[in-house]
Amino acid sequence: MMSLRPLAAPTALLALLIGCRSVQSFAPYGSRFSSVTRHVSSTSTSDDVAASDGATDEECEVLLLDHLNINHEKGRQDALKSFYFDFLGCAIDPRKYDENYVAGKKINSFLDGEDERFAPLRETEFLVGVVDDMMMINDPWGSQFCILPSDDPVEDRAAGEGAQPVMEGHSPSEGLAMEDLTVYVEHGSNLAGIGRFYETVLGAPTIDEGDQSISVAMGERQTLTFQYHPDGKDAKVEHHDLSFAEPADEDAEAALPVYPSNHGPHISLYVTNLSRAYKAADALGVLYVNPRFKRRAYTMDEAIDQCMFRLIDIVDPLDTEGRVIVKLEHEVRSAKTRDGSKYKSCPLLKV
């Protein structure tokens, strides 16, 4: 058994489940969902989620934390392919085939340095450690992954509830689920205010709160956690990279508000009532449009037409001064289109 090497303090931690039949159950987050599951099932089910355009009287809830988008270092596609495809065993999204590589088959000899597929990782921040049944991994740029084994891969993959598309002739990702995303914040950040923000805007309840962290439910199977940075009180944390460097859109109307482009990470999630979430975000003044992306929702009608809007500032609804606790870009998506049909990119089978 390999001992855990020291890991650089990252700005985010992802807990991923992988398929493994020979280990005991390991579910550090699952026990926290008992009250949340009752809450969700008592208000709505996947069969009766309200359409996002007209059900403004219905509550809003998060259905799924869909993805975390991370920008990689320019010119280092070799390290990206080696880490995500060859090492983690991620599957290619056929919708982004032209932007991705063909994934290789993962092997178990990545630590001995003999497999040349992992050569691009040798001069990066990539680190691997093993503690009991967990693997602690730094990606080439310092983000940390906690890989957890599953004693029931079929249940944890939840293919009966939905799935992302897979390239023809390719196997599904070896990762079964993104169970938790932990985002580090500076010490002294208003954790309770973060919880109130998610409850107010997205209907996501707090399920665990302590002196150092707070976790909110992203549907029935996932959590989003905000935790004080492990480097201590002097650590500076930023999850945004804002600039006005993007060229102006010649077709854009002059009356439209101007937003800076964000080159930092963003998370994407699905909600049951986009209209309600949009109005709540608008009331707090946290709506955002990222000029880097073609889909831009400047109004609620545009958000409903595009099944999405963005926000970036997390604020405490009780703070009358509207002070920003942390900036983290969110792509808030609707599971349904304006006419009530399922949004094409939503991986859930029933909405």
Side-chain angles (χ1 to χ4, degrees), residues 13 19-21 38 75 84 124 142 160 187 192 200 202-203 212 228 245 265 289 301 326 351:
L13 170 66
C20 182
R21 299 184 181 88
R38 289 195 296 271
Y84 285 100
T124 70
H187 283 246
T200 299
L202 302 173
Q212 300 292 314
Y228 290 158
V289 174
D301 277 343
V326 62
V351 296

Side-chain angles (χ1 to χ4, degrees), residues 267-290:
I267 63 174
S268 177
L269 53 91
Y270 283 95
V271 296
T272 60
N273 193 327
L274 193 74
S275 298
R276 188 180 183 92
Y278 185 97
K279 289 183 177 180
D282 190 20
L284 292 176
V286 298
L287 294 174
Y288 172 67
V289 174
N290 194 338

Side-chain angles (χ1 to χ4, degrees), residues 34 57 93 120 122 131 148 181 183 187 194 207 240 268 284 286:
S34 57
D57 58 331
D93 186 338
R122 293 172 186 164
V131 177
L148 309 173
L181 169 62
V183 178
H187 283 246
I194 292 175
I207 61 172
H240 61 281
S268 177
L284 292 176
V286 298

Side-chain angles (χ1 to χ4, degrees), residues 110-185:
F110 58 88
L111 290 176
D112 59 19
E114 297 178 359
D115 194 309
E116 288 303 310
R117 289 179 301 160
F118 306 112
L121 303 179
R122 293 172 186 164
E123 303 300 324
T124 70
E125 295 185 45
F126 174 70
L127 287 173
V128 177
V130 178
V131 177
D132 297 328
D133 290 330
M134 294 186 295
M135 292 179 65
M136 300 296 293
I137 301 164
N138 270 15
D139 80 0
W141 299 277
S143 291
Q144 190 177 93
F145 292 72
C146 175
I147 309 297
L148 309 173
S150 168
D151 65 339
D152 192 344
V154 175
E155 168 64 21
D156 288 329
R157 190 179 289 279
E161 297 181 19
Q164 298 286 359
V166 178
M167 287 287 296
E168 183 177 356
H170 287 242
S171 300
S173 171
E174 292 186 29
L176 304 176
M178 181 169 66
E179 190 173 66
D180 174 78
L181 169 62
T182 294
V183 178
Y184 292 136
V185 295

Side-chain angles (χ1 to χ4, degrees), residues 44-330:
S44 66
T45 66
S46 58
D47 293 317
D48 61 13
V49 170
S52 64
D53 58 315
T56 54
D57 58 331
E58 298 291 336
E59 295 296 328
C60 178
E61 295 174 351
V62 175
L63 291 171
L64 175 73
L65 179 58
D66 186 67
H67 67 258
L68 167 68
N69 189 91
I70 308 175
N71 294 315
H72 66 84
E73 180 182 0
K74 186 176 181 179
R76 289 309 311 271
Q77 289 87 349
D78 58 340
L80 183 148
K81 173 186 178 296
S82 181
F83 180 73
Y84 285 100
F85 295 156
D86 294 331
F87 178 73
L88 285 186
C90 294
I92 296 177
D93 186 338
R95 297 166 297 187
K96 301 289 185 179
Y97 178 74
D98 292 337
E99 303 172 26
N100 290 323
Y101 293 91
V102 175
K105 182 179 179 181
K106 180 182 175 184
I107 63 172
N108 295 322
S109 60
F110 58 88
L111 290 176
D112 59 19
E114 297 178 359
D115 194 309
E116 288 303 310
R117 289 179 301 160
F118 306 112
L121 303 179
R122 293 172 186 164
E123 303 300 324
T124 70
E125 295 185 45
F126 174 70
L127 287 173
V128 177
V130 178
V131 177
D132 297 328
D133 290 330
M134 294 186 295
M135 292 179 65
M136 300 296 293
I137 301 164
N138 270 15
D139 80 0
W141 299 277
S143 291
Q144 190 177 93
F145 292 72
C146 175
I147 309 297
L148 309 173
S150 168
D151 65 339
D152 192 344
V154 175
E155 168 64 21
D156 288 329
R157 190 179 289 279
E161 297 181 19
Q164 298 286 359
V166 178
M167 287 287 296
E168 183 177 356
H170 287 242
S171 300
S173 171
E174 292 186 29
L176 304 176
M178 181 169 66
E179 190 173 66
D180 174 78
L181 169 62
T182 294
V183 178
Y184 292 136
V185 295
E186 294 183 3
H187 283 246
S189 296
N190 183 357
L191 297 178
I194 292 175
R196 286 189 287 269
F197 175 84
Y198 281 93
E199 179 76 49
T200 299
V201 177
L202 302 173
T206 296
I207 61 172
D208 194 5
E209 182 176 0
D211 294 335
Q212 300 292 314
S213 66
I214 188 169
S215 297
V216 295
M218 296 281 104
E220 297 186 15
R221 291 176 173 265
Q222 298 169 293
T223 51
L224 176 61
T225 299
F226 292 85
Q227 178 181 318
Y228 290 158
H229 200 286
D231 272 2
K233 295 181 179 180
D234 294 332
K236 299 298 181 183
V237 182
E238 287 187 346
H239 302 294
H240 61 281
D241 181 7
L242 302 176
S243 71
F244 288 92
E246 296 289 329
D249 186 348
E250 297 178 357
D251 297 327
E253 298 181 11
L256 292 177
V258 177
Y259 294 93
S261 296
N262 180 37
H263 296 268
H266 78 253
I267 63 174
S268 177
L269 53 91
Y270 283 95
V271 296
T272 60
N273 193 327
L274 193 74
S275 298
R276 188 180 183 92
Y278 185 97
K279 289 183 177 180
D282 190 20
L284 292 176
V286 298
L287 294 174
Y288 172 67
V289 174
N290 194 338
R292 292 183 56 220
F293 298 96
K294 294 181 179 179
R295 292 197 302 157
R296 304 170 186 175
Y298 289 93
T299 66
M300 187 165 71
D301 277 343
E302 290 178 346
I304 293 172
D305 286 339
Q306 298 180 36
C307 295
M308 59 76 63
F309 72 89
R310 294 178 185 270
L311 59 87
I312 194 168
D313 292 336
I314 297 177
V315 301
D316 185 350
L318 298 183
D319 183 359
T320 57
E321 297 183 15
R323 289 167 292 193
V324 177
I325 303 172
V326 62
K327 288 182 179 288
L328 177 65
E329 184 177 344
H330 294 55

